[in-house]
Amino acid sequence: MIEIIISIFLLLGGLLSVLGSIGILRLPDVYGRLHAATKSATLGVISVIIGVFLYFLAIHGMFVGKLLLTIIFVFMTAPVAAFMIARSAYNVNVKMSEKSTQDDLADAINKQKSEADH
Amino acid sequence: MLTTVAIIVLILMSLSIFACTIRALIGPSMSDRLTALDTIGINLIGFTAILLLIQDTIAYAEVVLVLAILAFIGSVAIAKFIEGGVVLDRDHH
């Protein structure tokens, strides 16, 4: 029974990772690729690690705290890394896809500049 | 059964890392390459975790944790580098 639960976690994680990589290959610009990479790849890896943690807990009776620590660390730092990459890409003027219709950050920067001039 | 599933997931992870490698090679801008390399780092964590399960040992548990830390620090450092060439700045933001 516990093997089935572990297998579901592992397969879910593998499929989500592949989904994220397909998104990295196929989406049109950096921001879309970041969206695919940081959501599904992170969730996939967290799911795989939960599966491995359950395996050692249920079959060997070992509580491997380092795996839990890894889950917390990946969960907290992956969005931060993605935010830094997106901000640096915007600051060096990486072009958006031509299908993009909205750029709220440019509006906010223009507004801040015009307020600073007055 | 569990070993079969683990080997299937290992193959899925390999395909995922391969796709990221293609994007890291052809990516038009530096940010594309950085995104792909960051995802390779995250997938490598899962890859090593599956190896823990297949080889039935917890000897690599530290490896998983250190890979997570190194992937994060490397991504942030390179992102700051392509932004302005300065990794540590205290002047603005």
Side-chain angles (χ1 to χ4, degrees):
Chain A
M1 182 62 202
I2 189 70
E3 289 194 356
I4 294 175
I5 297 175
I6 295 170
S7 302
I8 288 173
F9 269 116
L10 291 183
L11 279 176
L12 192 69
L15 289 177
L16 280 171
S17 291
V18 171
L19 210 60
S21 297
I22 291 173
I24 284 188
L25 269 187
R26 290 196 46 109
L27 285 175
D29 61 352
V30 180
Y31 311 102
R33 283 171 200 146
L34 270 172
H35 163 80
T38 45
K39 280 195 183 64
S40 47
T42 308
L43 185 61
V45 163
I46 287 174
S47 170
V48 165
I49 296 177
I50 287 176
V52 176
F53 175 77
L54 281 180
Y55 172 78
F56 283 111
L57 187 65
I59 297 188
H60 291 281
M62 283 188 286
F63 185 87
V64 191
K66 284 166 217 158
L67 292 178
L68 281 186
L69 205 61
T70 309
I71 292 174
I72 295 173
F73 194 82
V74 170
F75 188 69
M76 285 196 320
T77 57
V80 178
F83 162 70
M84 297 294 281
I85 295 172
R87 199 182 70 166
S88 73
Y90 194 89
N91 281 344
V92 296
N93 291 323
V94 177
K95 287 275 179 289
M96 285 189 183
S97 155
E98 282 144 15
K99 289 180 188 167
S100 304
T101 56
Q102 200 172 354
D103 187 359
D104 284 341
L105 185 54
D107 295 342
I109 289 175
N110 286 332
K111 194 177 167 190
Q112 202 175 24
K113 267 185 192 164
S114 63
E115 279 178 3
D117 288 342
H118 291 306
Chain B
M1 183 192 108
L2 205 54
T3 313
T4 315
V5 171
I7 289 175
I8 290 172
V9 178
L10 202 61
I11 293 171
L12 287 179
M13 283 285 173
S14 311
L15 286 178
S16 171
I17 292 178
F18 180 66
C20 292
T21 312
I22 293 176
R23 176 52 73 190
L25 288 177
I26 68 173
S29 70
M30 278 300 284
S31 302
D32 288 304
R33 297 196 168 95
L34 180 54
T35 308
L37 289 178
D38 184 47
T39 314
I40 286 178
I42 290 187
N43 281 328
L44 213 54
I45 300 168
F47 196 88
T48 319
I50 301 284
L51 277 186
L52 285 183
L53 198 150
I54 289 179
Q55 299 189 354
D56 211 359
T57 169
I58 56 165
Y60 309 142
E62 293 93 351
V63 177
V64 177
L65 189 52
V66 171
L67 269 179
I69 296 171
L70 282 183
F72 169 64
I73 293 178
S75 298
V76 170
I78 301 176
K80 293 293 279 184
F81 176 71
I82 66 177
E83 186 175 0
V86 182
V87 174
L88 295 174
D89 57 341
R90 296 179 189 155
D91 295 337
H92 54 84
H93 304 309

